[in-house]
Every structure is written in structure tokens, then in C-alpha cells.
Amino acid sequence: MTDVLDRARGMRKLVRDEAAESERLRTLSPAIVDEMWASGLMSAFNPAEAGGVEPSFAEMIETWLEMAWQDGSFGWIGIANLPSTFAAASYLPEQGFAEVFTAHDNHVTIGGQYFPNGQGTAVDGGYRLTGAWSFGSGTGHSAYVAAGFLPMDDGEMRWIAEGIPDMRVAFLPREEVVFTDGWHVQGLKGTGSYDYNVADVFVPEYRTIPLFTREPLRGSSPAGRMGLMPVTAAGHAAFALGVAKSMLDDVEELAATKVRMSDMATLASRQTFQKGLAHHVAAWRAARLLVLDAFTTAEAAVAAGNELTPRLRADMRVAAVYATDTARECAEWAHLAAGTTAIREGSRLERGFRDIYTGTQHAFISEKVAMDVAQIWLGIIDDQFGL
């Protein structure tokens, strides 16, 4: 774990120094992007053939948590670019891998939106793709842009099973994409999560992958055989936990000197603060352990050659939802406990509060996911393919 995690830890001073600049640019600063490449962090989650080290789920989670602890935008880039590039490197056919990765000496960053907001008309050798996507996280510095789409045959959607449409992801060279920006937001300002679109762009079949595939063409880690959904879920959980931990740590440090108006006692000496700190730190630790347990249990099952069952997938997704909810509650408490210190622009507490409330709006960790999980547990449904 120390190798990948240390790459992220080594960036602490730079990320702190550049956080305001990333927000000003509305995308990660060039200095941070350059150091992610120089340290090897940018490609670390890739299969070995694409320059990665194929970390375990525990290693991925702790690395993302560290990145988000440093800065929410930095953490969000970690859960956007690293899984996107991992997926392309793991699942692209050989010709696509050679074109996207080998031809660029594996120095490739990928960002974008995987939800199928586009339509790809099937033509000889590939698709004519048209669509518009929002919140393309990490596209500010990505050489290739991911774009989820629905394949269309003679004007009709393609189905892979009853009630389940075919959903694919195209990887487009940056120059083929029209960016409309739109990234003027409350939090996660430094993530370059731009809106973009394409109109009737040809994408070869070999530069697309099935959205829910679990059949890697490269890499030997269980993550590749678990698919993009668990990796994405682990990232969302780790992001929320990392930002919340930064706020809990900062308010604990502040408490030694913070004195509220009309109360001469320091925050640390107040029993209500002591109780709140103990409760929320314990809740945070419990949520982190739940996430590690759910993901490493599923990982071990796959490593042993067993099926990634609907229940294992449900357990991972609900752990991510629970960790997100718990982290948000911890962040809210820390923000309130810090008083006016937390509302001053430029402080980690102020930025963390904006970032966590922006990041936790994501549909991937919404209440709908918890309801799908409960229906699997209750036997109401056998599976939910989107988990």
C-alpha cells in the first residue's frame, strides 16, 4: 500500500499551495497535473501494460481518501481520471489500446461522463455518435474524453437482455469534442467538470467498451474482473470520507484556541464539543471500516474465482451510500462547531464544506441506490444491473 499511497502523500504541500489556483482556473492547476505524472500517481491504477501497479481495493480507497483529505477537487480528480483511464486500459480491444495508450507511451489521461446520454448509429466499423454530456469531471486536462451512448440499429435501440439496453462508452480524442464549459459551481470548482457534445462523429468499434463489462483484456487484479461500477463506488465513498476527515481534523486542531463570542472557554474545553467530536470521529471510523470490509470481501471472492454476486455488488454500493451520508453529517457538524472560522474564504473548512455538499449530490450514491439494494436483500428483485 505504501507505494501508491506515498505517491499521493508526497503531494500534500503542492496541493495545499495550489488549491486556490485550481479554483481560480476552474480545473486542476498544471503544477498538480504535472506532479501527478511525475510521481506516477496519474497512471498508478492502470493495468501493468498501461504503466500501472494494479493496486488492491484497500490501496485504492486509502489513496483516494488521502487525496480528498488534501483537497476536495484533488480527490474528485482522483475518482474521475484514475478509474476512467483504468477502464479504458483494461477493456479496450487491442487496436483501441494501441491507439490510445501504446501510441502515447501510456501518457494518457481520460475523463468524462459514462452515462449513456448519446446515441451511436451503427455503421460499418463503428458508430456515428451524437450526444451532449454534463459534468465531464477531469476533462480540463484529459487527452481523451469518455462518452456513454446507446447503440442504435436502423433507428432502434439495441438490447442485450429483456429490459436491459446495450450501453457502451466511446473514447474520443479531445480535438473531436466540443466543450461548452458551464462549470460555474459552488464546490469542486477545481475539477474541470465541463459540459461537452459531439454531432455525428465517427467512433470505431475498437475505441468503445461495454459499460458494464467485467471481462478485462489486460491486468491481473480482481478489480478488472469486478467492473467499473465497484471501482466508481469505492471512489465516491473514499472521496466523501477524505473530505470529512479533513474537516474533523481541522476543527479538532482549531478547538485548542477557538473561543466563541460571550464564552471565554476554548472550544476544546466545552463538553458539548467533546461529545460531538467523539461521536462523529467514531461514526467516521465505522463508515470507513464498513467500506473496507464490503469491498475487500467482494474482492477476495473474485480473487478466489467465485462469482461477483448481486448481493456482493449490493453490499459495496450500499456501503458507499452509507459512508457518503455519514461523511456529510460529520462535515456539517465540523462546520457548525468551527463557527465563523469555517465561513472564511480560503480555509480548508470552508472549501471542504462546499466540496462535500457538491460531491454528494451525485446520482451514483443517491437514495435510489439504497432502495435497489434493499429490494435485493428482501428478495423483491433478483438483481439490478446498474449496481
Side-chain angles (χ1 to χ4, degrees), residues 161-381:
E162 184 177 353
I164 303 177
D166 190 9
M167 289 179 269
R168 300 188 71 84
V169 181
F171 298 99
L172 307 170
R174 184 180 190 86
E175 57 270 19
E176 294 182 359
V177 176
V178 177
F179 290 95
T180 54
D181 198 350
W183 192 238
H184 298 273
V185 287
Q186 178 186 35
L188 297 179
K189 291 184 177 183
T191 59
S193 300
Y194 303 140
D195 298 344
Y196 56 98
N197 64 80
V198 297
D200 197 34
V201 170
F202 176 71
V203 185
E205 178 79 30
Y206 62 75
R207 235 193 301 120
T208 73
I209 64 171
L211 176 58
F212 296 113
T213 184
R214 294 183 213 136
E215 298 177 3
L217 300 178
R218 274 153 236 102
S220 58
S221 72
R225 302 193 301 279
M226 294 168 70
L228 184 58
M229 297 304 108
V231 175
T232 303
H236 277 278
F239 160 79
L241 289 169
V243 176
K245 183 65 161 60
S246 78
M247 296 183 70
L248 288 171
D249 287 350
D250 286 359
V251 78
E252 182 178 344
E253 179 180 350
L254 176 69
T257 56
K258 176 73 174 180
V259 176
R260 302 294 294 269
M261 186 179 295
S262 76
D263 185 353
M264 297 308 295
T266 63
L267 196 58
S269 66
R270 295 174 58 183
Q271 291 183 333
T272 52
F273 176 81
Q274 295 165 5
K275 169 65 167 58
L277 181 66
H279 172 79
H280 288 93
V281 170
W284 183 93
R285 291 177 180 175
R288 172 183 169 274
L289 289 175
L290 173 66
V291 169
L292 288 170
D293 177 71
F295 285 89
T296 58
T297 296
E299 180 182 41
V302 172
N306 298 319
E307 178 189 359
L308 185 64
T309 64
R311 193 173 188 95
L312 285 171
R313 287 166 32 233
D315 287 352
M316 287 186 286
R317 289 297 295 276
V318 80
V321 172
Y322 179 81
T324 299
D325 290 344
T326 300
R328 187 170 51 235
E329 291 167 5
C330 291
E332 181 179 11
W333 174 82
H335 186 267
L336 287 171
T340 54
T341 301
I343 67 171
R344 297 190 180 277
E345 289 185 353
S347 74
R348 289 210 322 163
L349 281 163
E350 183 266 342
R351 190 169 62 248
F353 187 73
R354 289 189 287 105
D355 288 345
I356 201 163
Y357 267 88
T358 300
T360 58
Q361 293 282 4
H362 202 286
F364 203 83
I365 31 78
S366 69
E367 62 179 12
K368 172 65 165 57
V369 176
M371 291 185 284
D372 289 340
V373 168
Q375 289 181 42
I376 289 174
W377 288 347
L378 293 167
I380 297 172
I381 58 176

Side-chain angles (χ1 to χ4, degrees), residues 15-36:
V15 170
R16 181 185 286 266
D17 291 346
E18 291 286 316
E21 177 66 1
S22 292
E23 291 215 330
R24 186 188 71 81
L25 295 171
R26 295 182 300 113
T27 189
L28 213 59
S29 78
I32 296 177
V33 174
D34 289 347
E35 184 57 29
M36 289 181 74

Side-chain angles (χ1 to χ4, degrees), residues 120-128 149 152 158 202-206 208:
T121 300
V123 296
D124 186 33
Y127 305 91
R128 304 295 308 188
F149 70 97
M152 307 293 288
R158 184 185 299 170
F202 176 71
V203 185
E205 178 79 30
Y206 62 75
T208 73

